[in-house]
Amino acid sequence: MASGLAPLASAVLDAVTAAGGEAVASTDVAASQGVPHSVLVDTALKTLSAREALTLTPVSHEAWVLTAEGATYAAAGSPEAQLVRHLAAATGGQSLPNVDAALGAGVRKIGMQQAMRLGWVVMDRPTKTLALGAGLSADALPTDDVAAALNTLRDGGGDAAAAAATGVDEATRKALQKRKLATPKTTKTFAITPGARIADARRPQATELSREMLDSGSWRGAAFKPYNFAAKGKDVAGGHLHTLLKVREQFRLIFLEMGFSEMDSARYVESSFWNFDALFQPQQHPARDEHDTFFLSSPATATLPEGAGDYVARVKAAHCGGEAGAAVTGGSRGYRYAWSAAEARKNILRTHTTAVTARMLQRLAADTASAGGVFTPAKMFSIDRVFRNETLDATHLAEFHQIEGMVADHNLSLGHLKGVIHTFFKKMGMDRLRFKPTHNPYTEPSLEVHAFHPGLNKWVEVGNSGMFRPEMLLPMGLPPDVRVIAWGLSLERPTMIKYGVQNIRDLFGHKIDLEAIQRNPICRITF
Ligand code: FB9
């Protein structure tokens, strides 16, 4: 059972009761109790108002306080007045170094600026010396209104009304504020009046209904502390999706809305065959050496796909070119080099999720074959990690999440590719796109996608795309009129832009700020 009141709270109750319902100023109670106003508020007023023993009506006061610089000038006079007094005391023009020595360069600079603006001081250009302005002399010096105003504010406790009454009007105060000599500070005090439950404010407050109280019946007379339904419950720390996964979720929704199905991309270790060879990327392509790709030492190699008919042989033919190559690729002359199965078996960390797309397309071809040549169009996507042995910088790590979409259907054209990309980025809030021809080993034509980002107010490269080459599709056994369009982008770039992350290390990796993850709001994809 919460015991009696703290002395300060009791003193407040006394004052309020004594006022007979009139409002009591919290500043007066604090002064009468000799405690700082903030202590009275934190230790007594908050508790008593929570108990509804008191009603606190906030009263805000605008008080002007002097800055440290303002306080020095209030005491020593404004710089311009100090300068005038110095020149009045000196004989003849004073060189700047002399004045600096006397007043300090800071005061001299400000003083000169103000005094010359007021015509109190003139500079003799040839000799670069300062002297009193016309009409001024040692016994006819201007009044130092600035220092006077500062002192009035200080002595008036900064109360604006009081200051105004003594001639420190709004304009003067603003001028002082502009010179960073005084600033307005709003303080809040309270008008205290009796609360609904002041009657039993002194009675011990029950904070719970205990078994004993029920047995003893003592609950009847007890004053229960009002239940604070607004009290903030304990913050139950729940799980939080990593910011990247929040954005990934949004991209998944976009694809699902567009009728795409998700590819199973849970395979970081891939054979060079599916990551490169199946995509008609030649074995001597620079991206295939360890400068760009992470090769595995164990398991160092994978088996090439068996049971896919002689798919591997056809991939080899496509790379080698010549008769056999032209036969399986509808006439492509291929790369005409000795394709090595050993090279294709090398295990790597996949450099793109396009390897997964290749597997899906080859499976589509197999399904077509087992469906007697009937091809079922497909729209599929993947969002998953890929690894590139790149130079690390603020926006590049050795891994990122690739977002990839592909559509396989009869007689698709570049127009279909641009159309589906427009639909996709429109759902991200970007409807002004530009396509720039580019090159990928596995697509022809290939287009870089650039979008105008309204928030950044600039064009951003937002991805890459293209039509998979027949040298990739035909060896799989896909019908010759089936075209496959695809595009890709990263998950990190949009997430960094969305959440204003400058350095990718703040987003991904051991240095991320978990707080931010918990703080980051749910992601709405529109940028
Ligand atoms: O994500 C990228 N840019 C981007 C995307 C969205 C975005 O949203 C903002 C709110 C507006 C902002 C930026 N890029 C692709 C473009 C560049 O950042 C690029 O410099 C870096 N790229 C990565 C690869 O870096 C080596 C981003 C990554 C990328 C590049 C290409 C593909 C996928 C990811 C692809 C592909 C592809 C092509 C044809 C067929 C199938 C897949």
Side-chain angles (χ1 to χ4, degrees):
M1 177 75 71
S3 62
L5 283 180
L8 199 49
S10 172
V12 174
L13 275 182
D14 298 346
V16 170
T17 317
E22 282 309 300
V24 176
S26 56
T27 39
D28 299 352
V29 180
S32 68
Q33 295 303 309
V35 296
H37 186 265
S38 55
V39 171
L40 180 79
V41 173
D42 298 344
T43 58
L45 295 189
K46 278 193 183 144
T47 334
L48 289 170
S49 82
R51 286 188 185 189
E52 297 172 12
L54 298 177
T55 305
L56 305 178
T57 314
V59 182
S60 62
H61 309 262
E62 186 189 77
W64 281 72
V65 286
L66 302 194
T67 62
E69 188 186 0
T72 52
Y73 300 158
S78 65
E80 55 270 33
Q82 291 182 45
L83 177 58
V84 165
R85 273 203 301 275
H86 173 75
L87 296 174
T91 47
Q94 291 298 302
S95 73
L96 300 190
N98 280 6
V99 179
D100 287 357
L103 304 180
V107 169
R108 187 269 301 168
K109 276 203 190 84
I110 298 169
M112 216 171 106
Q113 196 191 23
Q114 297 293 334
M116 292 175 84
R117 178 176 62 76
L118 296 159
W120 294 358
V121 163
V122 287
M123 160 82 90
D124 176 56
R125 296 245 161 274
T127 59
K128 282 188 125 359
T129 57
L130 295 175
L132 281 181
L136 292 180
S137 63
D139 41 29
L141 288 180
T143 53
D144 185 356
D145 303 339
V146 170
L150 290 169
N151 285 305
T152 306
L153 280 180
R154 190 197 45 221
D155 306 348
D159 181 74
T166 53
V168 184
D169 59 13
E170 177 68 18
T172 310
R173 290 198 299 272
K174 283 276 176 262
L176 292 176
Q177 182 177 13
K178 197 155 169 297
R179 288 181 64 174
K180 297 191 174 43
L181 302 182
T183 51
K185 195 159 73 57
T186 308
T187 51
K188 199 163 66 171
T189 65
F190 296 96
I192 312 170
T193 48
R197 310 191 58 179
I198 189 154
D200 37 76
R202 292 182 189 287
R203 282 173 51 202
Q205 296 256 321
T207 51
E208 57 166 12
L209 179 58
S210 63
R211 174 147 199 73
E212 300 68 46
M213 291 172 82
L214 289 170
D215 298 349
S216 65
S218 66
W219 61 273
R220 288 188 202 295
F224 283 93
K225 188 165 186 291
Y227 202 85
N228 175 0
F229 290 101
K232 278 224 151 312
K234 213 160 68 51
D235 179 11
V236 283
H240 290 270
L241 265 186
H242 183 289
T243 312
L244 271 176
L245 299 183
K246 283 178 184 159
V247 178
R248 183 182 75 165
E249 215 37 49
Q250 295 294 314
F251 277 107
R252 292 186 72 246
L253 289 178
I254 286 180
F255 277 113
L256 297 174
E257 275 165 24
M258 293 170 69
F260 283 65
S261 53
E262 185 158 20
M263 298 185 234
D264 162 11
S265 57
R267 171 198 298 271
Y268 294 167
V269 175
E270 187 56 281
S271 66
S272 295
F273 178 83
W274 285 111
N275 196 85
F276 294 122
D277 297 279
L279 298 174
F280 193 58
Q281 189 152 353
Q283 294 185 337
Q284 66 281 16
H285 188 285
R288 291 185 69 157
D289 67 24
E290 55 283 337
H291 295 104
D292 284 352
T293 299
F294 295 107
F295 286 82
L296 266 70
S297 51
S298 105
T301 61
T303 55
L304 294 183
E306 275 84 34
D310 51 5
Y311 170 48
V312 176
R314 290 201 297 274
V315 168
K316 173 176 178 167
H319 283 249
C320 298
E323 285 307 301
V328 296
T329 60
S332 163
R333 65 178 195 285
Y335 297 116
R336 288 197 290 277
Y337 72 93
W339 183 82
S340 133
E343 181 61 34
R345 284 198 199 88
K346 289 182 180 168
N347 268 333
I348 61 170
L349 292 182
R350 65 174 176 212
T351 62
H352 48 198
T353 54
T354 319
V356 180
T357 303
R359 284 174 176 276
M360 290 304 126
L361 289 171
Q362 197 276 329
R363 189 171 311 155
L364 272 182
D367 301 349
T368 305
S370 49
V374 178
F375 172 78
T376 313
K379 300 200 292 187
M380 307 180 90
F381 76 93
S382 63
I383 306 176
D384 214 325
R385 279 189 200 195
V386 298
F387 308 86
R388 296 190 183 180
N389 188 358
E390 280 177 340
T391 42
L392 309 187
D393 63 22
T395 57
H396 283 87
L397 285 174
E399 61 181 275
F400 68 90
H401 293 74
Q402 175 170 347
I403 300 170
E404 177 154 320
M406 75 90 168
V407 183
D409 201 346
H410 299 285
N411 309 313
L412 290 178
S413 70
L414 196 62
H416 291 103
L417 176 63
K418 294 167 87 172
V420 74
I421 290 175
H422 265 293
T423 311
F424 179 80
F425 281 100
K426 191 166 179 46
K427 287 178 179 287
M428 291 170 63
M430 292 185 278
D431 48 15
R432 289 176 58 199
L433 298 185
R434 282 196 302 214
F435 295 96
K436 191 168 139 227
T438 183
H439 169 78
N440 297 317
Y442 39 86
T443 51
E444 186 55 45
S446 307
L447 302 174
E448 247 177 33
V449 186
H450 293 252
F452 184 78
H453 187 277
L456 304 172
N457 193 27
K458 65 175 182 170
W459 286 90
V460 182
E461 181 197 345
V462 290
N464 191 312
S465 66
M467 301 190 68
F468 285 127
R469 300 181 70 111
E471 292 93 336
M472 168 183 165
L473 303 178
L474 294 174
M476 292 173 172
L478 286 168
D481 70 339
V482 166
R483 302 267 175 288
V484 182
I485 55 179
W487 74 98
L489 62 157
S490 76
L491 180 61
E492 281 74 6
R493 298 294 300 124
T495 307
M496 289 172 75
I497 291 174
K498 166 116 198 98
Y499 287 94
V501 177
Q502 304 314 319
N503 189 315
I504 191 150
R505 279 162 196 68
D506 303 334
L507 180 68
F508 197 53
H510 64 286
K511 286 214 198 96
I512 60 173
D513 148 5
L514 280 179
E515 273 304 296
I517 299 257
Q518 281 159 358
R519 226 188 8 259
N520 278 344
I522 286 292
C523 152
R524 283 280 162 275
I525 198 75
T526 52
F527 288 93

